[in-house]
Amino acid sequence: EDQVTQSPEALRLQEGESSSLNCSYTVSGLRGLFWYRQDPGKGPEFLFTLYSAGEEKEKERLKATLTKKESFLHITAPKPEDSATYLCAVPFLTNGGSYIPTFGRGTSLIVHP
Amino acid sequence: DSGVTQTPKHLITATGQRVTLRCSPRSGDLSVYWYQQSLDQGLQFLIQYYNGEERAKGNILERFSAQQFPDLHSELNLSSLELGDSALYFCASSVHRIGTGELFFGEGSRLTVL
């Protein structure tokens, strides 16, 4: 069964304390893995797309990596403004032939000053 | 600013009522997706339209319906509302037809059913 699972559910860090968020997936034929950031009361904001194992993408303090079973979002020396919920999404194939971006439950990150 | 506009931002109504949520996609995007987000369920896919035609359906209740108009804006209609329908409803748009590209989300419509 196609699944997207994120861990941990919540993460508290001190400013400057690096860490990683995990997104594991089960899908036949990966058609991309997407990371989004969501601030409270706002819509998710697209961060990265990864398509193949070994691929890496970076943006400021964030780096996303991909293996055949999971993706990691590494946060280096985080700042309080990095506090948000981070969502990953994987397109799953429907019976009608369309791919639907299916989201994990997210990791809620709080960075304390 | 994602370029996706949703109205209204907040809506409070009573059980049994009907509401309509509106979404204008980014300029040039033909795909519109509707998602429901509640605290216990996360982001749940409801329905997708591409250039006016329904492309995919998720776990959308029969009391809910949607359409995409010739100008590409979309409306999500929720009827016979129940307390459990209280949630954030997001619209997202994409240039891709089959759901393998990034989505651009609106700010959402927060529905409260009393």
Side-chain angles (χ1 to χ4, degrees), chain A residues 31-32 34 36 38 40-46 49 51 87 91-92 94 96-105, chain B residues 33 35 37 39-45 48 55-56 88 90 97-108 110:
Chain A
R31 299 294 293 263
F34 300 81
Y36 293 82
Q38 185 176 22
K42 303 286 188 183
E45 177 188 352
F46 169 71
T49 310
Y51 285 105
L87 300 164
F92 289 159
T94 67
S98 193
Y99 285 86
I100 296 304
T102 303
F103 286 79
R105 297 289 298 270
Chain B
Y33 296 76
Y35 284 85
Q37 188 176 45
L39 282 175
D40 57 342
Q41 291 291 325
L43 264 172
Q44 298 292 309
F45 168 71
Q48 180 211 356
R55 280 286 300 170
L88 261 171
F90 286 106
R97 182 173 63 90
I98 62 169
T100 55
E102 62 271 25
L103 300 181
F104 294 88
F105 283 81
E107 298 261 296
R110 182 175 294 279

Side-chain angles (χ1 to χ4, degrees), chain B residues 25-60:
Chain B
R26 287 191 323 160
S27 177
D29 285 355
L30 300 181
S31 264
V32 169
Y33 296 76
W34 286 97
Y35 284 85
Q36 179 192 58
Q37 188 176 45
S38 56
L39 282 175
D40 57 342
Q41 291 291 325
L43 264 172
Q44 298 292 309
F45 168 71
L46 295 177
I47 197 163
Q48 180 211 356
Y49 281 84
Y50 179 82
N51 202 20
E53 293 190 5
E54 182 184 304
R55 280 286 300 170
K57 234 174 182 176
N59 294 325
I60 187 167

